[in-house]
Amino acid sequence: MSVSKPPPPPSTSHLTIPPSSTSTPSSSASSPSTAPPPPSPVKISMQEHFAINVCPGPILPIPQISDFFPRFHDYPCTPPPPREKKILKEETFNGEMGIGYKDGERRGENEGDREEVIDSDDDDTYLGTLEFSLLFDQENNCLHCTIHKAKGLKAMDSNGLADPYVKLHLLPGASKANKLRTKTLKNTLNPVWNETLIYHGITAADMTTKTLRLCVCDMDRLGRNEFIGEVRVALKKLKEGESKRYNMGLERIAQNKETNNQTVDQGAVVAEEERGRILVSLCYNTEKGCLLVGIIRCAHLAAMDSNGYSDPFVKIILQPDMGKKSKYKTSVKKKTLNPEFNEEFSYEVSLDQLAKKTLEISVWDYDLGMSNDFIGGVELGINASGQRLRHWFDCLKNKGKKVEYWHTLTQQGAPSSEKPD
């Protein structure tokens, strides 16, 4: 399809071109007879017509929205230089490939630069760094986690800042039972906490199987808190009594796959720790002729309520049953999986009789108007085994000395002849 293009109309401007000074009268007189014929109309295709009117130059890459709004960048950066319009020469449209090839090279270089800009705005490229230190106190079975600071966190709020805090989890294990959290710092991408969080009831065996997960999140009052990034540290690399400092870059890790793998590999350990642990102290006072039982604290208890927590308390019975004097109960701690009791109870019994008795300790979840839920228990006595038997022997041997042990709660400690009251 072609279109005839009429010749341009004569100019109506009042400006006239003066005649050349070298022209002679004879030439001007003969001009009417020797005038060239009018030019024929130029024929062009419809595609060429639209190309000339619509595409005056090469197609340039579209700028990113972050070029106009710098706050969308992960970290402050200089604005891009202004773009220069490059117009192709006539030879390019006429089919001469030499100049067109050079222009194509320039476009290829621009596209390469463009890809670098896109990569710099990727969410996984730069999330910030977290600085913290770990210390394992084997004597007290504690893991000290000191969260120092973070640098260059990713902006999560509309003001280009964030409200960061750090959550700690021990994997594998229940999430709420071993979750610790720092305070929230407002409007900063470089928070400084200098806050120490302590895990109680951590044994040397835990240090060989556990992994500490530290998540940096953004606090959002109007919606759900946003995940920024995380780091993970295998505790088996941490030596006892040595404080080790870490400075690690935050990453996005697929949590479900790794958690499932750890659950499969350490399935027996997870099943054993579902109920939690309890710290008990025993001391036989020879002057008063009594056994002092201290219920210090529990750690990583199983959640029994719908809110993901429990209202735990501890019951103690010295078997064979001696009536009301053999039963004690601690106070109830509301909505916690790591209660601290620090309560002590006394049993008047001779040392010879004590060697034949069994101390039953059970942890319960208090429910108002309903039957209390059994969480777990432990038995200490001559018929026990392992660490429970060792704790009992240490109490009998070291009279007048308080002996503390952590014990794992099991189903075995539940009283068989008594329903929860």
Side-chain angles (χ1 to χ4, degrees), residues 273-289:
E273 293 183 356
E274 283 181 353
R275 300 181 180 275
R277 293 177 178 177
I278 185 170
L279 179 60
V280 181
S281 68
L282 298 178
C283 177
Y284 186 78
N285 192 333
T286 55
E287 296 179 359
K288 298 182 179 180

Side-chain angles (χ1 to χ4, degrees), residues 22-125:
T22 58
S23 62
T24 58
S26 61
S27 62
S28 61
S30 61
S31 60
S33 60
T34 60
S40 61
V42 180
K43 295 182 179 181
I44 61 175
S45 65
M46 184 65 70
Q47 289 82 354
E48 291 176 335
H49 172 72
F50 284 116
I52 294 174
N53 292 338
V54 180
C55 302
I59 299 176
L60 299 177
I62 301 174
Q64 287 185 308
I65 189 173
S66 58
D67 295 341
F68 302 97
F69 301 95
R71 67 182 179 84
F72 283 93
H73 278 286
D74 293 343
Y75 47 89
C77 62
T78 57
R83 299 186 303 156
E84 297 180 358
K85 293 184 178 180
K86 299 179 181 180
I87 302 176
L88 294 178
K89 299 181 180 180
E90 277 188 38
E91 290 82 3
T92 305
F93 290 107
N94 293 336
E96 294 187 12
M97 302 302 295
I99 300 178
Y101 178 76
K102 293 180 181 179
D103 291 339
E105 276 186 336
R106 295 192 195 101
R107 288 196 296 271
E109 293 174 359
N110 293 339
E111 290 175 359
D113 297 340
R114 178 66 182 162
E115 290 177 359
E116 292 181 1
V117 175
I118 294 176
D119 291 339
S120 65
D121 286 340
D122 190 1
D123 290 340
D124 296 338
T125 302

Side-chain angles (χ1 to χ4, degrees), residues 42-315:
V42 180
K43 295 182 179 181
I44 61 175
S45 65
M46 184 65 70
Q47 289 82 354
E48 291 176 335
H49 172 72
F50 284 116
I52 294 174
N53 292 338
V54 180
C55 302
I59 299 176
L60 299 177
I62 301 174
Q64 287 185 308
I65 189 173
S66 58
D67 295 341
F68 302 97
F69 301 95
R71 67 182 179 84
F72 283 93
H73 278 286
D74 293 343
Y75 47 89
C77 62
T78 57
R83 299 186 303 156
E84 297 180 358
K85 293 184 178 180
K86 299 179 181 180
I87 302 176
L88 294 178
K89 299 181 180 180
E90 277 188 38
E91 290 82 3
T92 305
F93 290 107
N94 293 336
E96 294 187 12
M97 302 302 295
I99 300 178
Y101 178 76
K102 293 180 181 179
D103 291 339
E105 276 186 336
R106 295 192 195 101
R107 288 196 296 271
E109 293 174 359
N110 293 339
E111 290 175 359
D113 297 340
R114 178 66 182 162
E115 290 177 359
E116 292 181 1
V117 175
I118 294 176
D119 291 339
S120 65
D121 286 340
D122 190 1
D123 290 340
D124 296 338
T125 302
Y126 187 81
L127 301 174
T129 60
L130 180 64
E131 188 173 342
F132 59 96
S133 60
L134 302 178
L135 171 64
F136 175 54
D137 184 4
Q138 187 173 1
E139 182 179 356
N140 298 316
N141 296 106
C142 296
L143 177 63
H144 299 262
C145 309
T146 302
I147 311 300
H148 297 291
K149 58 185 176 180
K151 288 185 178 181
L153 295 180
K154 181 185 176 186
M156 305 298 292
D157 298 337
S158 58
N159 59 1
L161 299 174
D163 303 326
Y165 65 92
V166 182
K167 290 192 304 183
L168 280 69
H169 293 94
L170 278 178
L171 302 177
S175 59
K176 285 190 177 182
N178 53 36
K179 181 181 72 174
L180 299 178
R181 172 177 168 169
T182 66
K183 58 186 177 182
T184 303
L185 301 181
K186 299 289 185 179
N187 297 327
T188 178
L189 298 179
N190 301 283
V192 178
W193 288 283
N194 288 328
E195 188 173 347
T196 301
L197 307 175
I198 302 177
Y199 277 105
H200 296 278
I202 304 299
T203 62
D206 293 331
M207 299 298 292
T208 61
T209 58
K210 294 285 188 179
T211 298
L212 181 64
R213 174 180 175 229
L214 301 94
C215 301
V216 181
C217 302
D218 171 60
M219 181 73 171
D220 191 357
R221 292 184 177 180
L222 301 180
R224 190 174 183 180
N225 296 343
E226 296 178 296
F227 173 81
I228 299 178
E230 71 173 55
V231 296
R232 300 193 181 194
V233 178
L235 297 182
K236 62 182 179 181
K237 300 179 180 179
L238 191 64
K239 297 180 180 180
E240 191 273 329
E242 178 185 357
S243 179
K244 190 172 182 180
R245 197 178 185 101
Y246 299 84
N247 191 359
M248 305 174 64
L250 298 176
E251 299 178 355
R252 290 185 179 273
I253 301 179
Q255 304 173 13
N256 295 333
K257 293 183 179 180
E258 290 200 30
T259 304
N260 293 337
N261 293 338
Q262 290 180 345
T263 304
V264 173
D265 297 339
Q266 306 293 340
V269 179
V270 173
E272 184 182 15
E273 293 183 356
E274 283 181 353
R275 300 181 180 275
R277 293 177 178 177
I278 185 170
L279 179 60
V280 181
S281 68
L282 298 178
C283 177
Y284 186 78
N285 192 333
T286 55
E287 296 179 359
K288 298 182 179 180
C290 63
L291 173 67
L292 301 177
V293 181
I295 305 299
I296 302 175
R297 68 189 314 142
C298 295
H300 321 321
L301 294 180
M304 307 301 291
D305 296 338
S306 58
N307 58 5
Y309 293 96
S310 295
D311 302 324
F313 67 94
V314 182
K315 295 170 61 176

Side-chain angles (χ1 to χ4, degrees), residues 20 41 181 205 228 313 330 364 371:
S20 175
R181 172 177 168 169
I228 299 178
F313 67 94
T330 67
W364 301 81
S371 297

